[in-house]
Amino acid sequence: MAWMDKHNLTVLNEFVLMGITELPELQVPLFGLFLIVYMVSVLGNLGLIILTNIDSRLQTPMYFFLRHLAFTDLGYSTAVGPKMLANFAIDQRTISYNWCATQLTIFSIFITNELFILSAMAYDRYVAICNPLLYTVIMSQRLCQFLVAIPYLYSVFLSLLVVIKVFISSFCGYNVIRHFHCDVLPLISLLCSDTHEIKWIILIFPAFNLVSSLLIILVSYILILVAILRMNSAEGRHKAYSTCGSHLTVLVIFYGTLFFMYVQPTSSHSLDADKIASLFYTLVIPMLNPMIYSLRNKEVKGALTNLEHVCKYSI
């Protein structure tokens, strides 16, 4: 095609990540800050995964989903965090072609999966509050596994579809990614091939993911609110509110960040603002989620206290 002849097509072996900032005086402070954020995130999410596995009181559907939420948070933050920290530490912003594809695949799988895990948690809260007597029957182990397995399979399929479409396309000679990690939109801007099909894929599927997961959440919480308003007992209302409090906090933070990223008009987009929002949902949210569920949940705090006592007496 004529438009391809205008570009110098080359086989790329690596990409250059622009990073968060080019100011050298900020490299060390930012490295220290994000190292702390990432380490707290890893410890918090690993702690939740281990705690919900070993404590007998946390073997309910709610904590089953929470364990997978922690695993998902750990997954996409680890896909981005270590490489970003390494770039700060050794001031080498290159990333190999294969590792870029791998990073994008892992990140896409887990970030897509998070949407549907949060939806499953909303449905779980709806059943717990609106059908408490049938809760254990409805939220059976088989249903819980199904509600987790389907999002994982769908996320893998969608991520591989996008990544394969991008990386079988022809790149131009320019290999600088205007981001701190390999993301699909900055990569598409480097392609010399026709990008219409890829752009349609990353427009339709993410829109479907966002709208469908949000619809499940909204319907679940509208029904929960109706059920709470019908309760005569103030104690019952308070218990219902406290049951949903942690999940609602996580939802507001996560979806609020996504809407800031993707719903604002194109004309108002700023590269720095997008980087800050990306940093927030790739590193800060995975750090906050374990804190929110630990500090606002009596059962988790009780399990932590018991574990502390066991460790103290075993030493």
Side-chain angles (χ1 to χ4, degrees):
M1 295 181 185
W3 52 269
M4 286 188 68
D5 295 336
K6 297 177 183 178
H7 298 277
N8 179 27
L9 301 181
T10 57
V11 177
L12 295 179
N13 294 318
E14 64 181 18
F15 295 96
V16 178
L17 298 168
M18 278 188 67
I20 298 167
T21 179
E22 294 182 1
L23 299 174
E25 62 270 21
L26 292 179
Q27 300 297 313
V28 174
L30 287 176
F31 171 77
L33 173 64
F34 291 123
L35 178 62
I36 293 169
V37 169
Y38 178 66
M39 291 307 297
V40 171
S41 172
V42 170
L43 291 173
N45 285 296
L46 272 179
L48 264 183
I49 292 168
I50 294 168
L51 199 63
T52 53
N53 264 308
I54 65 173
D55 195 285
S56 58
R57 293 173 301 175
L58 304 182
Q59 304 305 310
T60 63
M62 177 176 136
Y63 295 106
F64 173 80
F65 292 122
L66 181 57
R67 180 160 62 248
H68 283 277
L69 179 68
F71 177 68
T72 301
D73 286 338
L74 188 62
Y76 69 77
S77 61
T78 300
V80 174
K83 178 59 182 173
M84 187 187 74
L85 291 170
N87 290 347
F88 274 126
I90 61 178
D91 196 24
Q92 183 180 353
R93 299 185 179 185
T94 58
I95 183 169
S96 71
Y97 183 90
N98 290 335
W99 175 241
C100 184
T102 304
Q103 186 185 63
L104 178 58
T105 303
I106 296 170
F107 178 78
S108 300
I109 288 170
F110 285 110
I111 203 72
T112 303
N113 193 58
E114 177 124 342
L115 293 168
F116 295 103
I117 293 293
L118 290 171
S119 303
M121 293 175 80
Y123 177 72
D124 172 69
R125 293 301 82 209
Y126 154 72
V127 176
I129 292 170
C130 299
N131 296 284
L133 298 178
L134 296 174
Y135 177 66
T136 53
V137 177
I138 297 172
M139 298 305 295
S140 64
Q141 186 178 10
R142 180 174 293 181
L143 178 62
C144 292
Q145 290 171 345
F146 176 81
L147 291 175
V148 165
I150 293 301
Y152 276 119
L153 293 173
Y154 170 74
S155 300
V156 170
F157 161 75
L158 181 57
S159 300
L160 290 176
L161 174 66
V162 172
V163 171
I164 290 170
K165 283 286 184 183
V166 170
F167 282 88
I168 63 172
S169 302
S170 301
F171 285 92
C172 306
Y174 189 69
N175 68 338
V176 178
I177 298 174
R178 296 171 61 81
H179 215 313
F180 59 88
H181 69 95
C182 287
D183 203 3
V184 65
L185 288 176
L187 281 167
I188 286 175
S189 67
L190 305 181
L191 295 177
C192 289
S193 306
D194 185 7
T195 59
H196 283 88
E197 186 181 359
I198 301 171
K199 286 179 178 177
W200 274 111
I201 290 171
I202 64 170
L203 174 67
I204 293 170
F205 280 101
F208 167 77
N209 298 341
L210 193 62
V211 172
S212 60
S213 62
L214 196 55
L215 189 63
I216 294 168
I217 290 165
L218 288 174
V219 170
S220 297
Y221 273 102
I222 288 169
L223 295 173
I224 287 170
L225 182 61
V226 170
I228 290 173
L229 293 175
R230 288 178 177 173
M231 290 179 182
N232 296 321
S233 167
E235 183 182 350
R237 289 183 180 181
H238 176 73
K239 186 177 180 181
Y241 282 127
S242 62
T243 300
C244 299
S246 299
H247 187 240
L248 277 171
T249 305
V250 169
L251 286 174
V252 169
I253 295 172
F254 186 75
Y255 278 91
T257 307
L258 288 183
F259 272 98
F260 175 82
M261 282 282 295
Y262 296 112
V263 180
Q264 59 176 321
T266 307
S267 58
S268 65
H269 266 242
S270 161
L271 182 62
D272 290 336
D274 282 351
K275 282 183 181 180
I276 291 168
S278 295
L279 274 170
F280 196 78
Y281 77 74
T282 54
L283 290 177
V284 178
I285 288 178
M287 176 192 72
L288 292 177
N289 285 352
M291 293 182 181
I292 292 168
Y293 278 102
S294 299
L295 296 175
R296 295 180 60 91
N297 191 299
K298 291 181 180 179
E299 290 174 321
V300 173
K301 287 194 285 187
L304 282 170
T305 303
N306 283 352
L307 185 62
E308 184 182 348
H309 288 167
V310 169
C311 292
K312 187 184 293 184
Y313 287 118
S314 63
I315 294 175

